[in-house]
Amino acid sequence: MHVTLFPHEKATLDGEAIGTRVELDNFQALCSMLSEVVIADDKVGQRGWSPATFKGDHRRLEKVEQVSVLVLDVDVPDLPEMPEELSWFAHKTFSGNWRLVVELDRTYRAEEHARLRKAAMADFKVDETLGPSKAADASRFYFGPAARSLEVFETRRGTGGTLDVDAYLATMPVQVVTSERLDARADAPDTAPPSVSGVLLSDSP
């Protein structure tokens, strides 16, 4: 499994959004990485990651090679009841809501992202209208876990099987998906210098 790490959301390096591609042994290694929380007064400036890999490690939508896991923002304080047979991980976000990461039976392409996301949200009964439209972008930058105090941070884990990507895609009609550019997004930087390779988000320089 491969993901891309970024030291923070507003870093620059020669005008390119460059991260570090990291190989993880398995989904549990990703769960461990996302269990590491930073205690801070603000999430801005904190390290982050993408479930995608990119050509040249440049984080742009047109450079997405593949996406290794499905990430869903659950923009309410209560996590939905998840299927018992599914492998997933969730952590509280800085806003007090949840970020859900689902293990897949295969990687998927950028053009499959919107359909897969919509199908999963419908099945899990997650209201997709609550989240930002940019969440439908396969190249999105996600902040690593951050909280104002350790007491408000929480993780949960489901240890079933992987989500069948093709089965979920089959429930959604093929449609043309357009994605806006990332240039001005506070949570999705144009540029970021390389972080060091490893499984800890805090390893970023």
Side-chain angles (χ1 to χ4, degrees), residues 11-186:
T12 60
L13 181 69
D14 298 330
E16 292 288 351
I18 301 176
T20 295
R21 184 180 309 208
V22 172
E23 182 176 3
L24 302 174
D25 290 339
N26 48 40
F27 185 71
Q28 182 56 45
L30 176 62
C31 297
S32 297
M33 186 182 79
L34 296 177
S35 296
E36 178 199 0
V37 61
V38 168
I39 304 305
D41 292 330
D42 197 337
K43 69 177 182 180
V44 175
Q46 301 299 334
R47 74 278 191 268
W49 70 292
S50 169
T53 57
F54 306 90
K55 296 176 183 177
D57 294 332
H58 294 184
R59 196 194 58 76
R60 302 186 70 85
L61 180 59
E62 64 270 20
K63 292 183 178 289
V64 171
E65 295 176 332
Q66 62 183 18
V67 186
S68 59
V69 294
L70 179 63
V71 182
L72 301 175
D73 283 332
V74 181
D75 289 298
V76 292
D78 298 317
L79 191 67
E81 184 174 346
M82 297 296 292
E84 291 184 2
E85 67 277 7
L86 189 64
S87 175
W88 55 272
F89 174 82
H91 69 80
K92 279 289 187 76
T93 63
F94 193 81
S95 63
N97 296 324
W98 289 93
R99 177 155 295 144
L100 178 63
V101 184
V102 182
E103 186 175 8
L104 308 175
D105 67 341
R106 69 166 175 87
T107 59
Y108 66 90
R109 304 183 304 278
E111 57 268 28
E112 296 174 314
H113 178 71
R115 290 171 57 214
L116 182 61
R117 174 179 175 269
K118 190 176 184 69
M121 294 183 86
D123 188 39
F124 304 158
K125 297 180 174 56
V126 176
D127 187 351
E128 67 174 310
T129 66
L130 295 178
S133 59
K134 58 197 170 191
D137 191 325
S139 66
R140 187 182 179 193
F141 169 97
Y142 292 95
F143 283 104
R148 290 185 174 87
S149 70
L150 190 59
E151 289 74 22
V152 300
F153 183 68
E154 184 180 352
T155 65
R156 296 184 189 175
R157 176 80 161 95
T159 55
T162 56
L163 182 144
D164 186 330
V165 172
D166 291 320
Y168 271 72
L169 288 174
T171 68
M172 284 291 155
V174 176
Q175 54 186 309
V176 176
V177 178
T178 58
S179 298
E180 59 183 302
R181 286 176 56 84
L182 303 175
D183 296 21
R185 299 180 185 173

